[in-house]
Amino acid sequence: MRSTSENPPMDLARTALELAAAHDSAATHHLYRELHARPELSGAEHRTAARVRTALRAEGIDCTEGVGGTGIVGVLANGPGRTVLVRADMDALPVTEDSGLPYASTVDGVMHACGHDAHTAMLVGTAQALARGRRHWSGTVLFVAQPAEETGEGASAMRDDGLHQRFPLPDVLLAQHVSAGPIGLVAHVEGPVLAASASIDIVVHGRGGHGSRPDTTTDPIVIGAAIVGRLQSIVAREIAPRETAVVTVGRFHAGSANNIIPATAELGLTVRSTSHERQTQILAAVQRIVRAECEAAGVTTGPDLRIVKSMPATVNDARVARNVAAVHTRMFGGNRIVDPGPAMGSEDFSELARLPDGQTLPYHYWFLPSTPLAVWNAAPGQSPMERFGNVPSAHSPDFAPDPSVLDHGVAAMTGAVLAELASGVSRAASGS
Ligand code: ZN
Ligand code: ZN
């Protein structure tokens, strides 16, 4: 991360640490354990949302519920200045917990395996820090508790429910996510940080028959195999080597017996890349290859090709990334700030930044590594990358962030908000 002329003054970092230290840390930890023990699936975050609403209102924050489903929007208006939106996601995953934690999930088959319980608790903690320390800053902060991130539906649902029409329009949006990696670091990436992703279902329609008479059939397994092989050439031969992209066939089902040629074959793909343009290019190539392989085999029906889920790329605004990384450097020390480069996971956070006219508001999304140091140090591997692959990661049944990430995250978000509130002219004031 480059240094910048926008380096916030030292007292801003100190103020952030003081405000964060004054929040009710015990209550944040209690809320975290409570949410972890009672996880709710995407779109069903009723109890979680109610807890957020109660906690925000207790700080005198004006709170609206039911935005885009179970979404909560808290508005802390505190005089003239910029408007900063802080977002946490609330939903859990259909995973059976195997963490051994004393506060493990009490709901069968549902677990906070992606740390959204920590994000929610940190949102409330940050709200408390900023509300109690309001004489130290001026402007407006929106606290957004978002439903259904895991299904990629929650952010666009809140936006389509009038997030930017019913509440003050933000100058900038901020979010943070826990991750594997040694606790205490903050990982900032400028530009592309998370991939665009699409999930595609394909059905190849052949012609079934007896396994001893292939000449009377059109074998969809052979076509499917050719498709799987040919798809590998997209990243290898159509994408520039400097770009990052993935095409994975994660599902290939066909047939029921050794001596029967089936009538259809089903394939399931995930496609990931770091820009909208690349994603569009890859999806077009997938369609071209699937259609051409079917045609080459003489298939007359289909194929069926359906995008069942897609998320946009997350591309951090360079100015905001540098400004937030700079205040974190002053708060935590330069050796705590790392740049891991883009990851191929996906997020729907950037949907919150999209305006109806197609414009995108600037945003920054960073990671809080949260692997307990004992677990990290005991993980096999010489290099950090090797260890990174050998500690529990998000979405796994044994994902168990170190709870000290809560205080760290409240401080990180409080610092980011103060740095952005102090960073220039507001949209409203500049009339842009
Ligand atoms: Zn997740
Ligand atoms: Zn997540």
Side-chain angles (χ1 to χ4, degrees):
M1 194 67 48
R2 272 165 300 188
S3 67
T4 160
S5 58
E6 290 151 1
N7 270 353
M10 198 65 188
D11 58 347
L12 197 148
R14 197 176 305 128
T15 303
L17 287 169
E18 280 169 14
L19 295 197
H23 96 284
D24 189 345
S25 169
T28 302
H29 283 254
H30 180 81
L31 174 61
Y32 170 64
R33 287 191 297 269
E34 187 188 321
L35 297 178
H36 192 85
R38 296 280 301 273
E40 295 175 301
L41 287 172
S42 308
E45 308 87 343
H46 302 287
R47 219 180 137 270
T48 308
R51 287 291 278 112
V52 173
R53 182 194 62 211
T54 306
L56 294 185
R57 282 191 182 151
E59 301 302 323
I61 295 170
D62 189 26
C63 217
T64 305
E65 56 196 311
V67 182
T70 61
I72 299 278
V73 180
V75 181
L76 179 52
N78 188 36
R82 280 164 62 88
T83 298
V84 178
L85 184 153
V86 181
R87 174 271 206 170
D89 37 17
M90 298 189 285
D91 53 331
L93 284 160
V95 169
T96 300
E97 180 153 2
D98 187 25
S99 68
L101 291 170
Y103 47 90
S105 172
T106 57
V107 184
D108 255 2
V110 184
M111 174 189 176
H112 268 296
C114 203
H116 298 186
D117 46 355
H119 307 164
T120 303
M122 293 186 295
L123 178 87
V124 169
T126 304
Q128 206 177 58
L130 289 166
R132 293 180 182 186
R134 70 183 84 197
R135 66 188 178 83
H136 293 280
W137 57 274
S138 179
T140 299
V141 185
L142 301 185
F143 298 97
V144 168
Q146 182 206 302
E149 186 281 326
E150 296 291 354
T151 57
E153 296 164 325
S156 45
M158 290 193 80
R159 189 197 58 214
D160 295 345
D161 199 11
L163 176 66
H164 298 314
Q165 290 74 42
R166 293 162 61 189
F167 306 97
L169 188 66
D171 293 293
V172 64
L173 298 85
L174 304 171
Q176 54 187 355
H177 201 299
V178 297
S179 71
I183 178 83
L185 302 182
V186 189
H188 286 289
V189 179
E190 227 179 276
V193 57
L194 286 170
S197 80
S199 192
I200 307 159
D201 284 356
I202 296 164
V203 182
V204 174
H205 297 276
R207 207 161 84 96
H210 200 287
S212 67
R213 299 183 63 205
D215 53 306
T216 65
T217 72
T218 308
D219 189 342
I221 294 183
V222 173
I223 302 169
I227 289 172
V228 173
R230 183 88 198 186
L231 287 175
Q232 311 309 313
S233 71
I234 298 176
V235 174
R237 283 295 167 266
E238 298 189 35
I239 302 298
R242 64 178 174 279
E243 305 255 2
T244 311
V246 178
V247 176
T248 289
V249 180
R251 194 165 60 79
F252 186 175
H253 293 301
S256 56
N258 294 17
N259 61 352
I260 299 172
I261 292 168
T264 59
E266 291 179 22
L267 292 92
L269 275 58
T270 185
V271 168
R272 287 161 194 255
S273 64
T274 50
S275 72
H276 177 69
E277 295 70 29
R278 214 51 61 233
Q279 195 72 353
T280 308
Q281 180 194 347
I282 297 173
L283 293 177
V286 167
Q287 292 194 10
R288 190 191 73 231
I289 287 169
V290 171
R291 293 218 171 95
E293 288 293 349
C294 289
E295 201 183 317
V299 168
T300 48
T301 344
D304 304 337
L305 219 138
R306 208 159 55 91
I307 296 176
V308 287
K309 180 180 160 185
S310 73
M311 293 212 221
T314 308
V315 183
N316 283 333
D317 181 85
R319 182 201 64 76
V320 185
R322 281 179 224 155
N323 190 37
V324 174
V327 75
H328 287 171
T329 301
R330 287 174 183 260
M331 290 170 72
F332 308 122
N335 58 342
R336 297 275 172 193
I337 310 304
V338 294
D339 180 353
M344 295 314 277
S346 297
E347 250 291 345
D348 71 350
F349 168 56
S350 67
E351 294 279 11
L352 289 178
R354 260 182 46 207
L355 297 178
D357 63 3
Q359 244 198 97
T360 303
L361 301 167
Y363 59 83
H364 184 53
Y365 178 96
W366 65 91
F367 288 101
L368 293 171
S370 59
T371 307
L373 280 186
V375 176
W376 180 258
N377 291 331
Q382 298 304 311
S383 72
M385 272 329 280
E386 275 181 89
R387 285 187 177 177
F388 186 76
N390 286 321
V391 295
S393 63
H395 287 212
S396 70
D398 54 352
F399 186 61
D402 190 316
S404 71
V405 77
L406 298 173
D407 293 317
H408 189 48
V410 168
M413 187 53 90
T414 302
V417 171
L418 292 186
E420 273 306 304
L421 284 169
S423 74
V425 186
S426 78
R427 168 182 298 271
S430 67
S432 66

